[in-house]
Short mmCIF file of all heavy atoms in Angstrom, two decimals:
data_model
loop_
_atom_site.label_atom_id
_atom_site.label_comp_id
_atom_site.label_asym_id
_atom_site.label_seq_id
_atom_site.Cartn_x
_atom_site.Cartn_y
_atom_site.Cartn_z
N LEU A 170 -5.28 38.90 13.33
CA LEU A 170 -5.17 39.91 12.29
C LEU A 170 -6.33 40.90 12.33
O LEU A 170 -6.14 42.11 12.13
CB LEU A 170 -5.11 39.25 10.91
CG LEU A 170 -3.79 38.58 10.54
CD1 LEU A 170 -3.93 37.81 9.24
CD2 LEU A 170 -2.69 39.63 10.42
N ALA A 171 -7.51 40.40 12.58
CA ALA A 171 -8.68 41.28 12.66
C ALA A 171 -8.56 42.23 13.83
O ALA A 171 -8.88 43.43 13.71
CB ALA A 171 -9.95 40.47 12.77
N MET A 172 -8.07 41.74 14.96
CA MET A 172 -7.94 42.59 16.14
C MET A 172 -6.83 43.64 15.94
O MET A 172 -6.99 44.79 16.34
CB MET A 172 -7.63 41.75 17.38
CG MET A 172 -8.79 40.84 17.78
SD MET A 172 -10.34 41.74 18.05
CE MET A 172 -9.96 42.62 19.53
N THR A 173 -5.72 43.25 15.33
CA THR A 173 -4.65 44.24 15.08
C THR A 173 -5.12 45.27 14.07
O THR A 173 -4.73 46.43 14.15
CB THR A 173 -3.36 43.56 14.58
OG1 THR A 173 -3.65 42.80 13.41
CG2 THR A 173 -2.75 42.69 15.64
N GLY A 174 -5.94 44.90 13.11
CA GLY A 174 -6.48 45.87 12.14
C GLY A 174 -7.41 46.86 12.81
O GLY A 174 -7.45 48.04 12.43
N ARG A 175 -8.16 46.47 13.81
CA ARG A 175 -9.07 47.38 14.49
C ARG A 175 -8.32 48.28 15.47
O ARG A 175 -8.72 49.40 15.71
CB ARG A 175 -10.14 46.58 15.25
CG ARG A 175 -11.15 45.97 14.33
CD ARG A 175 -12.26 45.34 15.11
NE ARG A 175 -13.22 44.74 14.18
CZ ARG A 175 -14.29 44.11 14.56
NH1 ARG A 175 -14.55 43.98 15.83
NH2 ARG A 175 -15.09 43.60 13.68
N LEU A 176 -7.26 47.74 16.06
CA LEU A 176 -6.52 48.54 17.04
C LEU A 176 -5.67 49.61 16.37
O LEU A 176 -5.43 50.66 16.95
CB LEU A 176 -5.61 47.64 17.90
CG LEU A 176 -6.36 46.68 18.83
CD1 LEU A 176 -5.36 45.77 19.54
CD2 LEU A 176 -7.18 47.45 19.86
N VAL A 177 -5.22 49.38 15.17
CA VAL A 177 -4.34 50.36 14.49
C VAL A 177 -5.11 51.43 13.81
O VAL A 177 -6.16 51.65 13.64
CB VAL A 177 -3.45 49.63 13.46
CG1 VAL A 177 -2.63 50.63 12.68
CG2 VAL A 177 -2.59 48.63 14.16
#
Side-chain angles (χ1 to χ4, degrees):
L170 285 173
M172 293 304 290
T173 56
R175 287 187 181 180
L176 293 175
V177 175

